[in-house]
Amino acid sequence: MALRFNSLKTRTALAVTLVIVFTLVLNAVYLIVTRRAEMREQIENEARIFAQLTKAPICVGYDGLYHKTYEKFRELIREAMSLNSDVERTQIIDTDGRVLFDSGDEEATPSSGPERPIREPARLQAVMGLEPTHIRPRDASGQDALEVIAPYVDDSGQHRLSLSY
């Protein structure tokens, strides 16, 4: 039995089918876009919470352990990073924009610490600020990344350090 495109039934069925398919495709695109935005927001919130929870122990550990017992400090960093598998690197940065510690630099020691300056204006502004900030840089492979910078204000009210995750 051959389809008759001149038939009113066939044309109506085809039109209804096309409307249904178009509606389903449009709905799928809408759901993908909104779900992606929700997931991005959820990841950013989880990253901010992680940064807020770990910044104090790490900065206190830096002040107390970094120059005295470096291996204990490295262990503290490893423990903190193991709590969130998405964290690839942690940096401790002073408010002048110098990187004092970089977890990605396995060779560094307290005497040969990284102490390299930050040159990107957005990162430097985030490090100097008092609010947790997230930046969307690109990683080495060109993929989107998320960097969370959490300033640490000590018990005396001084802001000397910020953490970058």
Side-chain angles (χ1 to χ4, degrees):
M1 175 180 236
L3 278 179
R4 293 186 189 159
F5 286 107
N6 294 336
S7 163
L8 182 62
K9 281 184 181 180
T10 305
R11 285 188 284 169
T12 305
L14 188 59
V16 169
T17 302
L18 287 175
V19 168
I20 290 172
V21 167
F22 178 75
T23 304
L24 289 174
V25 168
L26 193 63
N27 190 26
V29 169
Y30 171 77
L31 289 174
I32 289 170
V33 169
T34 57
R35 182 64 182 144
R36 182 179 170 144
E38 288 172 3
M39 289 177 67
R40 177 173 274 179
E41 186 177 326
Q42 181 182 1
I43 289 168
E44 289 172 1
N45 285 336
E46 287 177 9
R48 260 191 242 111
I49 290 168
F50 176 78
Q52 288 295 102
L53 291 174
T54 58
K55 71 180 178 180
I58 289 175
C59 287
V60 168
Y62 176 80
D63 285 338
L65 299 174
Y66 184 74
H67 292 288
K68 295 174 188 168
T69 54
Y70 182 69
E71 268 312 305
K72 284 188 180 181
F73 176 71
R74 290 292 295 192
E75 188 171 323
L76 173 72
I77 293 291
R78 279 191 289 272
E79 281 179 28
M81 289 178 66
S82 73
L83 297 174
N84 188 334
S85 61
D86 293 329
V87 175
E88 295 177 358
R89 185 179 197 170
T90 301
Q91 292 180 326
I92 299 175
I93 307 165
D94 69 8
T95 53
D96 293 329
R98 291 179 309 209
V99 176
L100 304 175
F101 172 80
D102 187 341
S103 67
D105 191 359
E106 294 290 329
E107 309 287 310
T109 62
S111 59
S112 72
E115 286 214 15
R116 57 188 180 274
I118 293 175
R119 302 206 190 289
E120 302 90 8
R123 281 187 82 206
L124 190 56
Q125 185 177 1
V127 165
M128 294 168 66
L130 293 174
E131 294 295 320
T133 307
H134 68 276
I135 302 170
R136 290 214 164 267
R138 298 224 179 246
D139 63 11
S141 65
Q143 297 290 324
D144 279 339
L146 175 65
E147 179 179 6
V148 176
I149 297 178
Y152 172 68
V153 178
D154 63 18
D155 293 336
S156 66
Q158 288 187 317
H159 172 226
R160 297 181 305 107
L161 302 172
S162 289
L163 265 77
S164 168
Y165 298 93

